[in-house]
Amino acid sequence: MSKLNKLALPYFIWMTLLVLIPTILILILSLSNLDIYTLGSFTFNLDAFSIFSRPEVQVAAKNSIRLSLAATAICFLIGYPVAYYLANIKSSNKTFFVSLLIIPVWSNMLLRIIAWEKLFFPKSILNMFGLSFDLIGTDTAILIGMTSMYLPFMVLPIYSVLEKMDKSLIEAAKDLGANNIKTFFKVILPLSLTGVVSGTIMTFLPSMTAFALPERLSGGKTLLIGNIIEDYFMKTANINAGSLISIILMVIIIFLFILIIKFDKEGETLI
Amino acid sequence: MKKLLSVFVTLLLVLVLAGCSGSKETLYVLNWGEYMDMDLVAQFEDEFNVKVVYDEVGSNEEMEVRIKSATTKYDIVFPSDFMVDKLRQQGLLNEIDFDLLPALDEVSIMDDAKAMYENEAYAPYMVPYFWGTIGILYNIDTVDEADLTGWDIMFEPNDYKVGMYDSARDSAAAAFMYLGYNVNTNVASEIDEAEAAMINAGFDLYAEENLKKLVITENLDLALVYSGDYLDEYYAADEEGTRINFNYFVPDITNIWIDSFVIPTISENVELAHEFINFFLGFDVATANAEYVGYCPVIQEVFDLLATDEYGYNIENYYPFPEGTNRVMYRFISDERFNRLNQLLSAAKSSN
């Protein structure tokens, strides 16, 4: 045990310096008038909460929820069949197909966003093929972007559950007279629910907190809650208000994480 | 356990010490992107046998944040006029010791530039570097030049696709000038009117340095940019020999800015900082630097040399303050006003 403790030391130092201390700092910032640059004395107050009456914060919160729910639904509708297909192909190329899904994730996300942005302007390289889109500034552009970014995070957890599923249960269902549709809804879908929950959360969270993606694909006109945090920290130096929003998002994330663990006790669907 | 800890501490120390190798003096410089010829910085390092640590940021506010946080003790920073004043008011700047700048006796600061700041309270804290305007970059193939009458082309309803700079201060300034108000107004009703004008204008896109490329590729017809954005593209197209399908329109009244050398109070090497400023005021260095940066220099002799057909800078709008035009500088009013301008930009951005 003491040997294990020593090995874990770098981890504890890492977590304390880069996670615990910053989190405490953000928590204090969000509930006080602490000035981040002087870090002197401070008094607790709830001034930062006044931002929720600001129209741009309300608009951003609505946009975040609307667009991330829509993106999650689209990812589920596309992702489940893909995961189902991948889990059931007999071919020896299975690994190849799965890696096709993962490889794009390895390239820088900002580059992929900028690539979409270029294609969505009316004058683009697509003109060579007689195509021209004028999507910048529309929800469609953001939803295509989000779906392409986060689809793998929906597919992989569902795939890993379906892959490990005991196939004899499906055979038993069919033996007992269930047709394909009934087998799917009564056996396969309920058994894969842990994967669906993980996938949903892992798609929903990053799309709700995205900031570079909406900024580039909406031409700066659709604010998400991530953009508000960025503005508060980088442009208006309203760091206490930015911290408050961050803390609220963190609470939501922790809550959803507890939900994943509840559904998926072994944590097998977490990447 | 103790052993492991000591290894860890040693490693940390090595990392920290690696940052300050040797006994050379170090000068910390904080500048805008692509705003200084690094070859000249290397020349300075050789000549004075010092090391220059050079960082870049994208906005005046970031400069202020960096100076206040003082994690790096910057010796030289290049804020714009209003930010020089704000930093001065907070007691973050050292006064410039002009006796340590003998190069200033050899050259002269352009009269028009000097007139902008010499009566300001912050004049003793700065040495000017470059100056320029904000204006409208437009595509000459898609915009009818007869429509270029003033700021109204950005705000009045028309068929043009218009891009706005994603900066609270500059977008609000454009709205104030369109409405005929002073760019530094702090009258609540005038700011409200500017907000309405911006919402009403319904800009097609808010972006930053990518605006210029969007105008050139005809994805936008016109956009608010800095004079340097136009000049950069002009030189690039000129060098590649491509057709120049864009131009820069400066309405009769616009903002003019002067970026300056300042020495923050956190500086631990004030004397060397003065040497650095003095070095960049020298005629040859200033000329080479102005050629690299492309903005209009503030030194008369350098301007006279560059703005000739021979040097190729004899182009319209190189000089930011032609006779008979109206130019206004931003002033630092208050943080509350700046927050209000940011609200205004957010409201306009999320209105459609």
Side-chain angles (χ1 to χ4, degrees):
Chain A
M1 187 64 203
S2 84
K3 197 173 175 191
L4 200 72
N5 274 344
K6 271 183 198 168
L7 287 173
L9 189 66
Y11 170 79
F12 283 123
I13 294 175
W14 179 273
M15 292 303 278
T16 312
L17 279 179
L18 298 178
V19 179
L20 192 64
I21 296 176
T23 309
I24 292 172
L25 203 58
I26 290 178
L27 188 64
I28 296 174
L29 278 168
S30 64
L31 296 172
S32 72
N33 62 356
L34 176 64
D35 181 357
I36 183 82
Y37 302 117
T38 49
L39 285 185
S41 61
F42 59 88
T43 51
F44 283 101
N45 64 40
L46 299 176
D47 288 359
F49 281 88
S50 66
I51 51 161
F52 293 108
S53 60
R54 295 265 285 267
E56 78 264 18
V57 177
Q58 291 171 358
V59 168
K62 276 182 210 152
N63 281 340
S64 284
I65 293 168
R66 181 172 56 88
L67 288 166
S68 53
L69 280 179
T72 310
I74 296 169
C75 282
F76 174 72
L77 291 177
I78 300 174
Y80 200 96
V82 171
Y84 189 82
Y85 171 75
L86 286 176
N88 286 299
I89 38 173
K90 301 273 186 295
S91 129
S92 55
N93 289 337
K94 196 176 207 171
T95 327
F96 171 72
F97 283 119
V98 176
S99 39
L100 274 187
L101 198 73
I102 301 173
I103 285 170
V105 180
W106 292 342
S107 67
N108 186 300
M109 191 159 92
L110 199 59
L111 287 181
R112 285 183 285 147
I113 293 170
I114 293 173
W116 280 118
E117 184 196 18
K118 301 242 181 244
L119 297 182
F120 288 160
F121 277 112
K123 297 279 162 65
S124 71
I125 195 166
L126 292 176
N127 297 164
M128 273 188 351
F129 310 104
L131 286 169
S132 167
F133 296 113
D134 190 3
L135 290 176
I136 291 295
T138 63
D139 285 353
T140 316
I142 296 180
L143 288 175
I144 293 176
M146 283 182 172
T147 307
S148 81
M149 294 302 139
Y150 306 124
L151 185 61
F153 300 111
M154 177 65 89
V155 174
L156 292 173
I158 300 177
Y159 163 78
S160 75
V161 172
L162 289 175
E163 163 95 300
K164 286 178 198 145
M165 189 184 289
D166 189 352
K167 301 288 188 294
S168 56
L169 291 172
I170 299 168
E171 285 161 18
K174 288 189 173 160
D175 270 357
L176 295 169
N179 60 17
N180 281 345
I181 296 171
K182 209 162 185 183
T183 311
F184 178 78
F185 283 106
K186 290 279 179 189
V187 180
I188 300 174
L189 188 62
L191 282 176
S192 61
L193 215 58
T194 53
V196 175
V197 172
S198 301
T200 303
I201 291 170
M202 281 200 281
T203 317
F204 182 68
L205 281 182
S207 42
M208 195 169 74
T209 52
F211 67 93
L213 189 149
E215 180 159 327
R216 303 295 300 216
L217 297 184
S218 75
K221 292 201 295 186
T222 305
L223 293 174
L224 259 58
I225 208 73
N227 301 101
I228 299 283
I229 299 177
E230 188 202 6
D231 279 1
Y232 280 0
F233 271 86
M234 307 302 292
K235 291 193 177 152
T236 51
N238 196 351
I239 287 172
N240 302 65
S243 301
L244 180 65
I245 304 179
S246 308
I247 284 288
I248 291 172
L249 284 177
M250 231 182 273
V251 170
I252 297 175
I253 290 170
I254 292 170
F255 173 76
L256 290 177
F257 193 76
I258 293 170
L259 212 64
I260 297 189
I261 294 174
K262 240 184 137 165
F263 266 88
D264 177 13
K265 293 204 170 61
E266 289 95 48
E268 58 184 327
T269 59
L270 290 171
I271 297 173
Chain B
M1 181 80 188
K2 249 185 184 166
K3 216 173 184 180
L4 209 96
L5 199 74
S6 64
V7 168
F8 188 79
V9 170
T10 323
L11 258 171
L12 256 181
L13 275 176
V14 168
L15 278 175
V16 170
L17 290 176
C20 38
S21 59
S23 55
K24 269 188 189 177
E25 275 187 287
T26 308
L27 187 79
Y28 295 93
V29 178
L30 182 66
N31 205 348
W32 303 83
E34 291 178 28
Y35 209 34
M36 183 165 265
D37 186 349
M38 294 313 286
D39 291 344
L40 296 170
V41 175
Q43 193 186 324
F44 176 80
E45 284 180 319
D46 288 346
E47 232 166 84
F48 290 82
N49 191 29
V50 294
K51 186 171 177 287
V52 174
V53 175
Y54 188 91
D55 293 329
E56 293 179 351
V57 286
S59 74
N60 276 297
E61 283 68 32
E62 275 177 75
M63 286 185 182
E64 183 191 6
V65 165
R66 295 272 197 121
I67 292 172
K68 277 188 180 170
S69 68
T71 39
T72 306
K73 309 263 185 263
Y74 288 109
D75 300 297
I76 298 276
V77 188
F78 294 85
S80 308
D81 33 68
F82 68 90
M83 186 53 75
V84 177
D85 197 32
K86 186 178 180 192
L87 294 170
R88 173 194 70 89
Q89 288 182 25
Q90 296 178 90
L92 296 168
L93 297 184
N94 282 320
E95 274 197 50
I96 303 286
D97 184 351
F98 287 92
D99 293 339
L100 294 176
L101 303 176
L104 258 188
D105 302 334
E106 311 290 321
V107 293
S108 48
I109 304 295
M110 295 177 107
D111 288 339
D112 288 341
K114 206 173 196 169
M116 309 286 320
Y117 67 82
E118 64 182 350
N119 294 324
E120 300 288 342
Y122 58 81
Y125 297 83
M126 54 159 276
V127 177
Y129 185 54
F130 284 102
W131 58 330
T133 50
I134 62 172
I136 299 170
L137 187 75
Y138 64 98
N139 190 303
I140 55 175
D141 297 329
T142 60
V143 175
D144 183 356
E145 301 209 347
D147 293 336
L148 292 166
T149 46
W151 289 106
D152 47 347
I153 193 168
M154 294 199 77
F155 290 88
E156 301 273 325
N158 55 35
D159 292 335
Y160 294 127
K161 287 193 112 184
V162 180
M164 178 47 94
Y165 214 93
D166 194 359
S167 145
R169 204 180 306 275
D170 298 315
S171 55
F176 290 135
M177 290 186 285
Y178 158 65
L179 294 167
Y181 299 135
N182 189 298
V183 293
N184 295 308
T185 179
N186 199 16
V187 179
S189 65
E190 294 183 359
I191 297 178
D192 291 345
E193 256 183 83
E195 179 168 348
M198 279 182 66
I199 292 172
N200 201 29
F203 300 112
D204 294 279
L205 193 91
Y206 292 84
E208 288 173 358
E209 69 281 13
N210 42 342
L211 283 170
K212 51 192 181 191
K213 289 280 187 231
L214 292 171
V215 170
I216 292 167
T217 55
E218 290 185 20
N219 281 314
L220 290 175
D221 297 313
L222 52 102
L224 181 78
V225 297
Y226 298 115
S227 51
D229 289 323
Y230 160 69
L231 292 170
D232 281 347
E233 290 303 325
Y234 182 90
Y235 303 140
D238 199 39
E239 210 160 282
E240 287 165 21
T242 47
R243 178 175 164 265
I244 294 175
N245 67 340
F246 56 89
N247 201 356
Y248 183 63
F249 167 66
V250 191
D252 283 335
I253 176 164
T254 194
N255 161 249
I256 196 164
W257 46 262
I258 300 180
D259 293 338
S260 312
F261 298 88
V262 299
I263 304 176
T265 46
I266 52 171
S267 165
E268 287 172 343
N269 216 334
V270 175
E271 214 163 300
L272 189 62
H274 280 92
E275 291 287 8
F276 188 82
I277 299 175
N278 193 52
F279 179 80
F280 275 91
L281 288 171
F283 178 72
D284 291 337
V285 173
T287 306
N289 197 38
E291 272 209 88
Y292 173 87
V293 173
Y295 279 92
C296 185
V298 289
I299 298 171
Q300 187 71 48
E301 289 81 356
V302 175
F303 178 83
D304 290 343
L305 178 72
L306 291 183
T308 53
D309 288 334
E310 201 180 331
Y311 267 86
Y313 290 88
N314 197 10
I315 45 178
E316 212 190 335
N317 294 317
Y318 183 58
Y319 187 65
F321 202 166
E323 249 187 83
T325 58
N326 200 345
R327 299 284 184 261
V328 252
M329 278 214 292
Y330 295 144
R331 292 179 169 282
F332 171 65
I333 311 287
S334 67
D335 284 331
E336 288 69 34
R337 177 178 184 267
F338 185 56
N339 281 339
R340 174 74 186 99
L341 297 188
N342 271 290
Q343 271 180 29
L344 190 151
L345 178 64
S346 297
K349 282 169 77 175
S350 54
S351 67
N352 43 12

